Amino acid sequence: NAGVTQTPKFQVLKTGQSMTLQCAQDMNHEYMSWYRQDPGMGLRLIHYSVGAGITDQGEVPNGYNVSRSTTEDFPLRLLSAAPSQTSVYFCASSSTTGGAQYFGPGTRLTVT
Amino acid sequence: AQRVTQPEKLLSVFKGAPVELKCNYSYSGSPELFWYVQYSRQRLQLLLRHISRESIKGFTADLNKGETSFHLKKPFAQEEDSAMYYCALSFQGAQKLVFGQGTRLTINP
């Protein structure tokens, strides 16, 4: 199993550009989520999904969209990038029966 | 609101010394608490969950509901323990995690 994979690893955007961060998991997990990691602030939940077709907002959803058309994939879209979205983004998945969340390797995004 | 506080951003100890990383939480119900670790250039991974009451890599953590704490302890630190440690809470049976700010632990030789 590859676990949770994320692409790209690094990305530089200009203010106003859009892009999609990809996340996929091959563990048949129902729950998937996106976090951003900023120095001194830990990880903050952006959006999450409890299954295909179901998404909900986390703590910091503004400026981000998600969709969950399949169990495996959970892309995160930045519609109009802003410098405040410079961060490291982590995708995670877990079984809804509880237990550990499995994290992807992260995407380091810089918005200039 | 649910909150997790890790009061130490940085913690430095010598190899062989005891380590304690502090974690306090605020939640009125029955939380589930976790410690996650991120080694240099690696992804975040689960270290401990309070429900399992395991000892992983020599680390233990006890949930103290009276003090609303879940401190991580190890009696003898090793250099490979140097990493970023995050305390996290989930609640109401949900899978959402609320993370603390993290503590960067450095073990000096």
Side-chain angles (χ1 to χ4, degrees):
Chain A
N1 286 352
V4 181
T5 58
Q6 291 183 237
T7 56
K9 289 186 178 180
F10 302 96
Q11 183 69 49
V12 179
L13 291 178
K14 294 188 186 304
T15 297
Q17 287 184 316
S18 63
M19 80 159 295
T20 299
L21 308 186
Q22 301 291 345
C23 174
Q25 52 91 11
D26 60 1
M27 297 174 282
N28 202 33
H29 283 165
E30 299 92 345
Y31 182 84
M32 295 186 74
S33 54
W34 277 101
Y35 295 87
R36 57 178 290 172
Q37 182 185 40
D38 301 292
M41 304 187 75
L43 281 80
R44 292 179 293 169
L45 182 65
I46 304 171
H47 285 284
Y48 66 98
S49 168
V50 297
I54 306 170
T55 64
D56 205 347
Q57 296 181 348
E59 181 186 355
V60 287
N62 292 343
Y64 308 95
N65 277 356
V66 292
S67 59
R68 184 97 179 268
S69 55
T70 67
T71 300
E72 295 78 19
D73 300 296
F74 191 44
L76 178 72
R77 297 185 191 86
L78 283 71
L79 301 177
S80 179
S84 60
Q85 294 178 304
T86 294
S87 187
V88 181
Y89 291 85
F90 288 98
C91 179
S93 75
S94 68
S95 166
T96 52
T97 57
Q101 288 200 22
Y102 293 86
F103 283 81
T107 295
R108 186 173 294 275
L109 175 68
T110 301
V111 183
T112 61
Chain B
Q2 301 76 27
R3 179 178 293 179
V4 176
T5 302
Q6 294 178 248
E8 304 135 328
K9 287 187 179 179
L10 303 170
L11 184 62
S12 181
V13 301
F14 286 102
K15 178 182 172 182
V19 173
E20 183 179 47
L21 288 81
K22 291 185 167 50
C23 172
N24 291 92
Y25 67 91
S26 62
Y27 177 58
S28 56
S30 294
E32 184 169 3
L33 284 145
F34 305 82
W35 277 98
Y36 281 84
V37 60
Q38 188 177 28
Y39 300 103
S40 179
R41 303 182 191 280
Q42 294 188 27
R43 65 185 70 191
L44 215 65
Q45 57 187 285
L46 178 70
L47 182 63
L48 283 178
R49 9 178 351 208
H50 89 271
I51 284 180
S52 60
R53 302 185 66 82
E54 293 175 295
S55 173
I56 305 293
K57 299 186 179 184
F59 284 98
T60 59
D62 289 318
L63 177 61
N64 186 323
K65 291 188 177 181
E67 295 182 357
T68 59
S69 67
F70 188 55
H71 303 328
L72 183 68
K73 299 177 184 179
K74 184 169 183 176
F76 307 104
Q78 299 173 296
E79 287 185 65
E80 54 264 34
D81 295 329
S82 293
M84 192 75 174
Y85 290 80
Y86 290 98
C87 183
L89 172 154
S90 70
F91 53 94
Q92 295 178 327
Q95 293 295 301
K96 292 188 289 184
L97 287 174
V98 176
F99 282 86
Q101 302 93 322
T103 297
R104 182 168 297 282
L105 175 65
T106 302
I107 307 301
N108 300 306

